[in-house]
Amino acid sequence: MRPAPASRPADGEVVSRALGLAVLGASALAVALTIGRTRSSTTAAPPRPIAALRGAAALLGLSVFADSAMEHWRGGFRNPGMFAPVGISALLMGANLGAIRGRGRKARAADGIHGAAVALGAAGVGFHAWNILRRPGAFSWQNLFYAAPVGAPVALALAGMLGLGADHTRVTPAGRLTLADLPVGRALAALVAAGLAGTTAEVGLLHFRGNFQNRYM
């Protein structure tokens, strides 16, 4: 008997993998270019508020690393783009932890890593939304419950934004910390509020899927 011919992936799957490979390559190239232009340097430890921002970025990067590695491993890394958030989140953690200790890359490299995280997070939202739309029923409860979580990549973008915030926080002559000409507290509060809104929406969706069987849900 002849072996059954291997099934060919659908056209949409081919396009998805090609785009994923392009995203992976673009992410690697962007990080390589920015890091390659700089050398490691030792500087004074940053002020406490900036160090706290970097710590928050590193902690959120750790969460993204663990979540994306586990979930994409469960998916067999079927799309090459699935490797990108794992690598970028690891680099983001390293860059911010090194900066907290006063050892790390120069600002341009940090900007490159954080900018890549923001861009990759936005691309991830598009990929996850496409994963939902290409299924029968599109944006149905079934697909929102069990397809790729559309809000998950936002965490990577948020980690990148926190890192960018730490990169661009400035000390005024009066000794105040500002970000984009705003007091750091206001800018950070707006960013945290947006992140909490997304977290609340995703938690609500997943606990609704579980029918709130536990009262603590």
Side-chain angles (χ1 to χ4, degrees):
M1 295 179 61
R2 292 184 178 180
S7 59
R8 296 179 58 187
D11 291 341
E13 186 68 21
V14 172
V15 173
S16 177
R17 291 183 184 181
L19 289 174
L21 185 60
V23 167
L24 177 62
S27 300
L29 180 61
V31 172
L33 288 175
T34 52
I35 292 180
R37 292 176 181 175
T38 59
R39 296 180 179 179
S40 296
S41 58
T42 301
T43 59
R48 187 173 180 180
I50 296 178
L53 271 177
R54 294 202 179 280
L59 184 61
L60 188 53
L62 173 62
S63 175
V64 173
F65 175 81
D67 182 61
S68 61
M70 180 178 66
E71 294 297 331
H72 289 177
W73 175 78
R74 188 176 69 169
F77 288 96
R78 187 173 182 178
N79 188 307
M82 289 179 166
F83 289 100
V86 180
I88 292 293
S89 58
L91 288 172
L92 186 146
M93 280 191 293
N96 285 283
L97 290 176
I100 290 174
R101 298 178 58 190
R103 297 178 179 179
R105 299 283 178 174
K106 295 180 181 179
R108 182 181 297 178
D111 271 353
I113 293 172
H114 296 143
V118 174
L120 185 59
V125 171
F127 268 104
H128 285 202
W130 188 22
N131 179 270
I132 293 174
L133 287 172
R134 62 198 295 262
R135 291 170 177 248
F139 272 105
S140 63
W141 286 115
Q142 177 76 10
N143 290 336
L144 288 174
F145 287 157
Y146 297 107
V150 70
V154 177
L156 179 59
L158 185 60
M161 290 178 188
L162 288 171
L164 286 173
D167 292 336
H168 294 280
T169 295
R170 298 291 180 261
V171 181
T172 66
R176 295 183 178 181
L177 297 174
T178 61
L179 177 61
D181 296 327
L182 293 173
V184 168
R186 292 184 182 181
L188 183 59
L191 187 60
V192 170
L196 287 176
T199 301
T200 302
E202 184 169 6
V203 168
L205 177 68
L206 295 180
H207 286 185
F208 176 64
R209 183 185 71 179
N211 200 28
F212 293 95
Q213 294 184 22
N214 188 306
R215 69 180 65 182
Y216 295 106
M217 297 172 79

